[in-house]
Amino acid sequence: MSSPRNGYRDRLILAVDVGSSVLRCHLYNQSGEICGSAEDKLKVLYPQAGYVEIDPESLWEQFVRVVKEAVADAGIQMSQVAGLGISTQRGTFITWNKKTGETFHNFISWQDLRAADLVSSWNRSLLLKAVHGVCTALHFFTRRKRFLAASLINFTTQHVSLRLVWVLQNIPQVRQAAEKGNCCFGTIDTWLLHKLTKGTVFATDYSNASGTAVFDPYLMCWSSFLCSLLSIPLSIFPPVEDTSHSFGLADPTIFGAPVPILALVADQQAAMFGQCCFDVGSVKLTMGTGSFISINTGETLHTSIAGLYPLIGWKVGDEVVCLAEGNASDTGTAIKWAEELNLFTSVADTETMARSVPDCGGIYFVPSFSGLQAPINDPYACASFMGLKPSTSKSHLVRAILESVAYRNKQLYDTVLRETTIPITLIRADGGVSNNNFIMQMTADLLGQTIDKPKHTDMSSLGAAFLAGMAVGLWSTKDELKKLRTTQCEFEPQAKWKEYERSMGSWEVALQRCSNWYNTTASRKSLATWFQPIRVWNALGWVFWLVFLLLLHLRTSFPVSELLC
């Protein structure tokens, strides 16, 4: 690592955050202050029901533009930029021709639901149940956590895996290119790196790779077992590098000077780093397009049973930090939808409107435009208002939407408490929705915990900047970074749980009534028809595999732990 006295002191770090709704770029100085900024609303496409896409060329044009505008806003030359850090939304991917660089389709967003039927089919399949049985047996013999995790695995639409299977099944040119070894897969970070280096670098980092659910965080490599199970060729995936790493130089024809690319990091992990949640038990709550709650689990990967997923937070040299995370997809999405319906004229008005009525008037909103994630895990749930009356006003509707965000935060927090035995040391919030004091106070009340909000809520950008800056010696230690993070305010619990218990109970009833709404009649019939046989075959499968593996192990001392490696 370079010395902090090497001439970079008066140079700036460029950080770009490609979020789910906004693309932002900030330039930071050594004091962690923003010296120049630019942003643009991300152009998201909805070609048909359940499909969520991003045009790659449009994204590239926006990326280049905001970088140039931020540098101009700072009043500097591009040659004064010490390095670039890129934070990106996870699980949004694209494939392209390895030889020509031509993309085969638009980016398929992490919010996309086109693979919902595949997810449902796989989660009900005898094959997956057999895998569960085998992995349970392997865990019994070996006590390895990766087999326990595999024994509990269920697919979701947010996983890249089955959306990628959908692409391979439905876009012939992708399948043909993959068969010929001429297909590249990339999340947004990989594709931007490919574009910035004019196709000379093909790579990702551990945080982005672990967010795909195709990467095995226990072995720190792409999962050959999962790829074999789903018939996905391993050859399409990029090499995985450290989060803070010299990925190469941006071609000088793009920005007018070669810019070192020093960090690639997934947005939630970047926010965790920017919030300086470096210690075990630190919790970050990000409320943007969706809500994400992450807890630092140190060097230990968490094995979940209710929808939290183990992630690599970041890898820098020998240090590997793990996280457990749960999310709700439709936080900012629901607020934006309400604005488009003219329930309010400005997001800033929502807090005042919510406080203008004593309660929600018996109205409950279920924020489920993209299904319900942990701990419900229902891709077919619908969004809805329930309890509408002639006396219902816009203020009641707005309050119900804001309350639903806090209720989902409570569900995610309770899931973290149930599934981890790690004492929570602090909770820090960020993201655009954290600027709403009504949601923040209600969340603090529901959690019964103090929540710290920073002065600047663009923590993904700051985290990417910190990682890139440490690569060039602009900052040397994490203690130095902690001094740069400033707290704007703290939200202390003001109300007791009993004051919310009844209303949250009613909201949970509304949530249950919205479940499985979009599941087809055929799917329901199929599930009812095959449920009993599945139970029988599942039981027989368990017996068969347990007996087989037990005999194999006892008679030959065969290393059964290697079966899934």
PDB file of all heavy atoms in Angstrom, residues 7 21 39 43 104 108 147 172 174 189-190 200 226 234-235 274 279 310 317 343 430 437 465 471-472 497 503 522 549:
ATOM      1  N   GLY A   7       2.065  12.164  -2.375  1.00  0.00           N
ATOM      2  CA  GLY A   7       1.601  13.111  -3.373  1.00  0.00           C
ATOM      3  C   GLY A   7       0.108  13.065  -3.614  1.00  0.00           C
ATOM      4  O   GLY A   7      -0.441  13.908  -4.309  1.00  0.00           O
ATOM      5  N   SER A  21     -32.379   3.400  -8.442  1.00  0.00           N
ATOM      6  CA  SER A  21     -33.193   4.469  -9.027  1.00  0.00           C
ATOM      7  C   SER A  21     -32.380   5.692  -9.427  1.00  0.00           C
ATOM      8  O   SER A  21     -32.800   6.451 -10.302  1.00  0.00           O
ATOM      9  CB  SER A  21     -34.299   4.886  -8.054  1.00  0.00           C
ATOM     10  OG  SER A  21     -33.760   5.241  -6.798  1.00  0.00           O
ATOM     11  N   GLU A  39     -25.613  13.828 -10.385  1.00  0.00           N
ATOM     12  CA  GLU A  39     -26.460  12.651 -10.338  1.00  0.00           C
ATOM     13  C   GLU A  39     -27.451  12.672 -11.492  1.00  0.00           C
ATOM     14  O   GLU A  39     -27.687  13.703 -12.117  1.00  0.00           O
ATOM     15  CB  GLU A  39     -27.202  12.547  -9.006  1.00  0.00           C
ATOM     16  CG  GLU A  39     -28.242  13.604  -8.766  1.00  0.00           C
ATOM     17  CD  GLU A  39     -29.005  13.358  -7.466  1.00  0.00           C
ATOM     18  OE1 GLU A  39     -28.368  13.193  -6.409  1.00  0.00           O
ATOM     19  OE2 GLU A  39     -30.255  13.337  -7.521  1.00  0.00           O
ATOM     20  N   LYS A  43     -32.625   5.225 -15.765  1.00  0.00           N
ATOM     21  CA  LYS A  43     -33.729   4.940 -16.678  1.00  0.00           C
ATOM     22  C   LYS A  43     -34.058   3.443 -16.616  1.00  0.00           C
ATOM     23  O   LYS A  43     -33.381   2.622 -17.225  1.00  0.00           O
ATOM     24  CB  LYS A  43     -33.364   5.364 -18.096  1.00  0.00           C
ATOM     25  CG  LYS A  43     -33.107   6.863 -18.217  1.00  0.00           C
ATOM     26  CD  LYS A  43     -32.601   7.246 -19.591  1.00  0.00           C
ATOM     27  CE  LYS A  43     -32.297   8.742 -19.667  1.00  0.00           C
ATOM     28  NZ  LYS A  43     -31.706   9.143 -20.972  1.00  0.00           N
ATOM     29  N   PHE A 104     -26.237  -9.312 -25.385  1.00  0.00           N
ATOM     30  CA  PHE A 104     -27.301 -10.173 -25.896  1.00  0.00           C
ATOM     31  C   PHE A 104     -28.691  -9.696 -25.479  1.00  0.00           C
ATOM     32  O   PHE A 104     -29.688 -10.060 -26.096  1.00  0.00           O
ATOM     33  CB  PHE A 104     -27.102 -11.611 -25.401  1.00  0.00           C
ATOM     34  CG  PHE A 104     -25.903 -12.302 -25.970  1.00  0.00           C
ATOM     35  CD1 PHE A 104     -24.891 -12.752 -25.133  1.00  0.00           C
ATOM     36  CD2 PHE A 104     -25.774 -12.508 -27.334  1.00  0.00           C
ATOM     37  CE1 PHE A 104     -23.783 -13.401 -25.644  1.00  0.00           C
ATOM     38  CE2 PHE A 104     -24.663 -13.151 -27.862  1.00  0.00           C
ATOM     39  CZ  PHE A 104     -23.666 -13.600 -27.014  1.00  0.00           C
ATOM     40  N   ILE A 108     -30.958  -7.351 -16.621  1.00  0.00           N
ATOM     41  CA  ILE A 108     -32.138  -7.877 -15.943  1.00  0.00           C
ATOM     42  C   ILE A 108     -31.983  -7.549 -14.465  1.00  0.00           C
ATOM     43  O   ILE A 108     -31.058  -8.012 -13.805  1.00  0.00           O
ATOM     44  CB  ILE A 108     -32.287  -9.389 -16.173  1.00  0.00           C
ATOM     45  CG1 ILE A 108     -32.482  -9.653 -17.677  1.00  0.00           C
ATOM     46  CG2 ILE A 108     -33.457  -9.947 -15.374  1.00  0.00           C
ATOM     47  CD1 ILE A 108     -32.574 -11.117 -18.043  1.00  0.00           C
ATOM     48  N   PHE A 147     -22.679 -27.399   4.208  1.00  0.00           N
ATOM     49  CA  PHE A 147     -23.670 -28.432   3.928  1.00  0.00           C
ATOM     50  C   PHE A 147     -24.977 -28.137   4.651  1.00  0.00           C
ATOM     51  O   PHE A 147     -26.060 -28.427   4.135  1.00  0.00           O
ATOM     52  CB  PHE A 147     -23.126 -29.802   4.314  1.00  0.00           C
ATOM     53  CG  PHE A 147     -21.965 -30.245   3.463  1.00  0.00           C
ATOM     54  CD1 PHE A 147     -20.824 -30.766   4.035  1.00  0.00           C
ATOM     55  CD2 PHE A 147     -22.011 -30.111   2.090  1.00  0.00           C
ATOM     56  CE1 PHE A 147     -19.753 -31.161   3.255  1.00  0.00           C
ATOM     57  CE2 PHE A 147     -20.950 -30.510   1.295  1.00  0.00           C
ATOM     58  CZ  PHE A 147     -19.811 -31.033   1.876  1.00  0.00           C
ATOM     59  N   PRO A 172     -31.858 -17.901 -27.371  1.00  0.00           N
ATOM     60  CA  PRO A 172     -31.009 -18.906 -28.028  1.00  0.00           C
ATOM     61  C   PRO A 172     -29.566 -18.471 -28.240  1.00  0.00           C
ATOM     62  O   PRO A 172     -28.644 -19.275 -28.081  1.00  0.00           O
ATOM     63  CB  PRO A 172     -31.723 -19.138 -29.370  1.00  0.00           C
ATOM     64  CG  PRO A 172     -33.148 -18.739 -29.118  1.00  0.00           C
ATOM     65  CD  PRO A 172     -33.083 -17.623 -28.142  1.00  0.00           C
ATOM     66  N   VAL A 174     -27.698 -16.612 -26.457  1.00  0.00           N
ATOM     67  CA  VAL A 174     -26.925 -16.717 -25.219  1.00  0.00           C
ATOM     68  C   VAL A 174     -26.521 -18.172 -24.993  1.00  0.00           C
ATOM     69  O   VAL A 174     -25.362 -18.469 -24.683  1.00  0.00           O
ATOM     70  CB  VAL A 174     -27.729 -16.194 -24.013  1.00  0.00           C
ATOM     71  CG1 VAL A 174     -26.932 -16.375 -22.723  1.00  0.00           C
ATOM     72  CG2 VAL A 174     -28.092 -14.727 -24.198  1.00  0.00           C
ATOM     73  N   ASP A 189     -21.028  -3.980 -12.124  1.00  0.00           N
ATOM     74  CA  ASP A 189     -19.629  -3.618 -11.903  1.00  0.00           C
ATOM     75  C   ASP A 189     -18.710  -4.233 -12.947  1.00  0.00           C
ATOM     76  O   ASP A 189     -17.806  -3.579 -13.478  1.00  0.00           O
ATOM     77  CB  ASP A 189     -19.185  -4.057 -10.508  1.00  0.00           C
ATOM     78  CG  ASP A 189     -19.299  -5.556 -10.319  1.00  0.00           C
ATOM     79  OD1 ASP A 189     -20.422  -6.085 -10.422  1.00  0.00           O
ATOM     80  OD2 ASP A 189     -18.273  -6.227 -10.099  1.00  0.00           O
ATOM     81  N   THR A 190     -18.954  -5.509 -13.274  1.00  0.00           N
ATOM     82  CA  THR A 190     -18.120  -6.211 -14.251  1.00  0.00           C
ATOM     83  C   THR A 190     -18.268  -5.595 -15.630  1.00  0.00           C
ATOM     84  O   THR A 190     -17.277  -5.406 -16.351  1.00  0.00           O
ATOM     85  CB  THR A 190     -18.515  -7.701 -14.308  1.00  0.00           C
ATOM     86  OG1 THR A 190     -18.337  -8.271 -13.011  1.00  0.00           O
ATOM     87  CG2 THR A 190     -17.676  -8.469 -15.302  1.00  0.00           C
ATOM     88  N   THR A 200     -10.510  -4.925 -22.033  1.00  0.00           N
ATOM     89  CA  THR A 200      -9.257  -5.609 -21.681  1.00  0.00           C
ATOM     90  C   THR A 200      -9.302  -6.289 -20.307  1.00  0.00           C
ATOM     91  O   THR A 200      -8.485  -7.162 -20.031  1.00  0.00           O
ATOM     92  CB  THR A 200      -8.072  -4.622 -21.701  1.00  0.00           C
ATOM     93  OG1 THR A 200      -8.311  -3.584 -20.729  1.00  0.00           O
ATOM     94  CG2 THR A 200      -7.913  -3.997 -23.091  1.00  0.00           C
ATOM     95  N   LEU A 226     -23.727 -25.873  -7.838  1.00  0.00           N
ATOM     96  CA  LEU A 226     -24.960 -25.203  -8.237  1.00  0.00           C
ATOM     97  C   LEU A 226     -25.035 -25.060  -9.750  1.00  0.00           C
ATOM     98  O   LEU A 226     -26.095 -25.264 -10.353  1.00  0.00           O
ATOM     99  CB  LEU A 226     -25.055 -23.832  -7.567  1.00  0.00           C
ATOM    100  CG  LEU A 226     -26.352 -23.055  -7.832  1.00  0.00           C
ATOM    101  CD1 LEU A 226     -27.552 -23.801  -7.259  1.00  0.00           C
ATOM    102  CD2 LEU A 226     -26.272 -21.655  -7.234  1.00  0.00           C
ATOM    103  N   LEU A 234     -19.724 -22.820 -16.119  1.00  0.00           N
ATOM    104  CA  LEU A 234     -18.843 -22.013 -15.271  1.00  0.00           C
ATOM    105  C   LEU A 234     -17.988 -21.045 -16.070  1.00  0.00           C
ATOM    106  O   LEU A 234     -17.531 -20.031 -15.548  1.00  0.00           O
ATOM    107  CB  LEU A 234     -17.930 -22.935 -14.448  1.00  0.00           C
ATOM    108  CG  LEU A 234     -18.437 -23.407 -13.085  1.00  0.00           C
ATOM    109  CD1 LEU A 234     -17.511 -24.461 -12.514  1.00  0.00           C
ATOM    110  CD2 LEU A 234     -18.566 -22.236 -12.111  1.00  0.00           C
ATOM    111  N   SER A 235     -17.780 -21.347 -17.336  1.00  0.00           N
ATOM    112  CA  SER A 235     -16.870 -20.542 -18.156  1.00  0.00           C
ATOM    113  C   SER A 235     -17.351 -19.119 -18.372  1.00  0.00           C
ATOM    114  O   SER A 235     -16.564 -18.248 -18.756  1.00  0.00           O
ATOM    115  CB  SER A 235     -16.674 -21.203 -19.521  1.00  0.00           C
ATOM    116  OG  SER A 235     -17.928 -21.300 -20.208  1.00  0.00           O
ATOM    117  N   GLY A 274     -18.886   2.403   4.422  1.00  0.00           N
ATOM    118  CA  GLY A 274     -18.985   3.851   4.589  1.00  0.00           C
ATOM    119  C   GLY A 274     -19.508   4.248   5.958  1.00  0.00           C
ATOM    120  O   GLY A 274     -19.130   5.284   6.502  1.00  0.00           O
ATOM    121  N   ASP A 279     -17.043  -3.498  13.240  1.00  0.00           N
ATOM    122  CA  ASP A 279     -16.985  -4.416  14.374  1.00  0.00           C
ATOM    123  C   ASP A 279     -18.121  -5.422  14.336  1.00  0.00           C
ATOM    124  O   ASP A 279     -19.233  -5.124  13.857  1.00  0.00           O
ATOM    125  CB  ASP A 279     -17.036  -3.625  15.685  1.00  0.00           C
ATOM    126  CG  ASP A 279     -15.896  -2.620  15.800  1.00  0.00           C
ATOM    127  OD1 ASP A 279     -14.772  -2.976  15.397  1.00  0.00           O
ATOM    128  OD2 ASP A 279     -16.141  -1.492  16.266  1.00  0.00           O
ATOM    129  N   PRO A 310     -26.008 -15.226   3.752  1.00  0.00           N
ATOM    130  CA  PRO A 310     -24.617 -14.912   4.083  1.00  0.00           C
ATOM    131  C   PRO A 310     -23.939 -14.210   2.911  1.00  0.00           C
ATOM    132  O   PRO A 310     -24.121 -14.594   1.758  1.00  0.00           O
ATOM    133  CB  PRO A 310     -24.006 -16.297   4.329  1.00  0.00           C
ATOM    134  CG  PRO A 310     -24.813 -17.221   3.472  1.00  0.00           C
ATOM    135  CD  PRO A 310     -26.198 -16.652   3.429  1.00  0.00           C
ATOM    136  N   GLY A 317      -6.862  -7.759   1.092  1.00  0.00           N
ATOM    137  CA  GLY A 317      -5.703  -8.525   1.524  1.00  0.00           C
ATOM    138  C   GLY A 317      -6.148  -9.810   2.199  1.00  0.00           C
ATOM    139  O   GLY A 317      -6.956 -10.569   1.666  1.00  0.00           O
ATOM    140  N   LEU A 343     -50.672  11.507  -4.508  1.00  0.00           N
ATOM    141  CA  LEU A 343     -51.092  11.495  -3.104  1.00  0.00           C
ATOM    142  C   LEU A 343     -50.421  12.625  -2.340  1.00  0.00           C
ATOM    143  O   LEU A 343     -50.891  13.044  -1.282  1.00  0.00           O
ATOM    144  CB  LEU A 343     -50.753  10.152  -2.454  1.00  0.00           C
ATOM    145  CG  LEU A 343     -51.571   8.940  -2.906  1.00  0.00           C
ATOM    146  CD1 LEU A 343     -51.181   7.702  -2.119  1.00  0.00           C
ATOM    147  CD2 LEU A 343     -53.068   9.207  -2.746  1.00  0.00           C
ATOM    148  N   ASP A 430     -29.071   4.740   6.739  1.00  0.00           N
ATOM    149  CA  ASP A 430     -28.721   5.608   5.617  1.00  0.00           C
ATOM    150  C   ASP A 430     -29.712   5.365   4.490  1.00  0.00           C
ATOM    151  O   ASP A 430     -30.672   4.622   4.639  1.00  0.00           O
ATOM    152  CB  ASP A 430     -27.279   5.346   5.155  1.00  0.00           C
ATOM    153  CG  ASP A 430     -27.027   3.911   4.751  1.00  0.00           C
ATOM    154  OD1 ASP A 430     -27.534   3.485   3.715  1.00  0.00           O
ATOM    155  OD2 ASP A 430     -26.323   3.190   5.491  1.00  0.00           O
ATOM    156  N   ASN A 437     -38.187  11.667   8.970  1.00  0.00           N
ATOM    157  CA  ASN A 437     -38.112  11.537  10.426  1.00  0.00           C
ATOM    158  C   ASN A 437     -39.254  10.708  11.004  1.00  0.00           C
ATOM    159  O   ASN A 437     -39.088  10.072  12.054  1.00  0.00           O
ATOM    160  CB  ASN A 437     -38.099  12.920  11.085  1.00  0.00           C
ATOM    161  CG  ASN A 437     -36.792  13.650  10.836  1.00  0.00           C
ATOM    162  OD1 ASN A 437     -35.774  13.036  10.542  1.00  0.00           O
ATOM    163  ND2 ASN A 437     -36.818  14.967  10.943  1.00  0.00           N
ATOM    164  N   ALA A 465     -15.495   5.173  -1.974  1.00  0.00           N
ATOM    165  CA  ALA A 465     -14.387   6.130  -1.910  1.00  0.00           C
ATOM    166  C   ALA A 465     -13.358   5.700  -0.865  1.00  0.00           C
ATOM    167  O   ALA A 465     -12.143   5.763  -1.107  1.00  0.00           O
ATOM    168  CB  ALA A 465     -14.918   7.524  -1.587  1.00  0.00           C
ATOM    169  N   ALA A 471      -6.544   2.160  -1.053  1.00  0.00           N
ATOM    170  CA  ALA A 471      -5.676   1.476  -2.021  1.00  0.00           C
ATOM    171  C   ALA A 471      -4.506   2.346  -2.460  1.00  0.00           C
ATOM    172  O   ALA A 471      -3.456   1.831  -2.853  1.00  0.00           O
ATOM    173  CB  ALA A 471      -6.486   1.038  -3.242  1.00  0.00           C
ATOM    174  N   VAL A 472      -4.672   3.678  -2.402  1.00  0.00           N
ATOM    175  CA  VAL A 472      -3.587   4.577  -2.815  1.00  0.00           C
ATOM    176  C   VAL A 472      -2.961   5.301  -1.631  1.00  0.00           C
ATOM    177  O   VAL A 472      -2.145   6.206  -1.810  1.00  0.00           O
ATOM    178  CB  VAL A 472      -4.068   5.612  -3.860  1.00  0.00           C
ATOM    179  CG1 VAL A 472      -4.428   4.941  -5.161  1.00  0.00           C
ATOM    180  CG2 VAL A 472      -5.238   6.432  -3.329  1.00  0.00           C
ATOM    181  N   TRP A 497     -43.439  -0.825  22.781  1.00  0.00           N
ATOM    182  CA  TRP A 497     -43.933  -1.775  21.809  1.00  0.00           C
ATOM    183  C   TRP A 497     -45.448  -1.973  21.929  1.00  0.00           C
ATOM    184  O   TRP A 497     -46.155  -2.115  20.917  1.00  0.00           O
ATOM    185  CB  TRP A 497     -43.204  -3.110  21.978  1.00  0.00           C
ATOM    186  CG  TRP A 497     -43.896  -4.289  21.365  1.00  0.00           C
ATOM    187  CD1 TRP A 497     -44.385  -5.387  22.002  1.00  0.00           C
ATOM    188  CD2 TRP A 497     -44.187  -4.481  19.976  1.00  0.00           C
ATOM    189  NE1 TRP A 497     -44.956  -6.250  21.102  1.00  0.00           N
ATOM    190  CE2 TRP A 497     -44.851  -5.719  19.854  1.00  0.00           C
ATOM    191  CE3 TRP A 497     -43.962  -3.711  18.839  1.00  0.00           C
ATOM    192  CZ2 TRP A 497     -45.288  -6.222  18.630  1.00  0.00           C
ATOM    193  CZ3 TRP A 497     -44.396  -4.206  17.608  1.00  0.00           C
ATOM    194  CH2 TRP A 497     -45.049  -5.445  17.508  1.00  0.00           C
ATOM    195  N   SER A 503     -51.697  -2.519  16.138  1.00  0.00           N
ATOM    196  CA  SER A 503     -51.722  -2.046  14.746  1.00  0.00           C
ATOM    197  C   SER A 503     -50.802  -2.882  13.861  1.00  0.00           C
ATOM    198  O   SER A 503     -51.147  -3.184  12.712  1.00  0.00           O
ATOM    199  CB  SER A 503     -51.339  -0.564  14.676  1.00  0.00           C
ATOM    200  OG  SER A 503     -50.036  -0.355  15.187  1.00  0.00           O
ATOM    201  N   ALA A 522     -53.295 -22.868 -12.201  1.00  0.00           N
ATOM    202  CA  ALA A 522     -52.623 -24.126 -12.538  1.00  0.00           C
ATOM    203  C   ALA A 522     -51.570 -24.464 -11.499  1.00  0.00           C
ATOM    204  O   ALA A 522     -51.405 -25.623 -11.112  1.00  0.00           O
ATOM    205  CB  ALA A 522     -51.991 -24.027 -13.924  1.00  0.00           C
ATOM    206  N   LEU A 549     -25.425 -43.251   2.534  1.00  0.00           N
ATOM    207  CA  LEU A 549     -24.230 -42.537   2.970  1.00  0.00           C
ATOM    208  C   LEU A 549     -23.670 -43.112   4.261  1.00  0.00           C
ATOM    209  O   LEU A 549     -22.446 -43.170   4.449  1.00  0.00           O
ATOM    210  CB  LEU A 549     -24.552 -41.048   3.153  1.00  0.00           C
ATOM    211  CG  LEU A 549     -24.783 -40.281   1.849  1.00  0.00           C
ATOM    212  CD1 LEU A 549     -25.312 -38.892   2.148  1.00  0.00           C
ATOM    213  CD2 LEU A 549     -23.489 -40.170   1.047  1.00  0.00           C
TER     214      LEU A 549
END
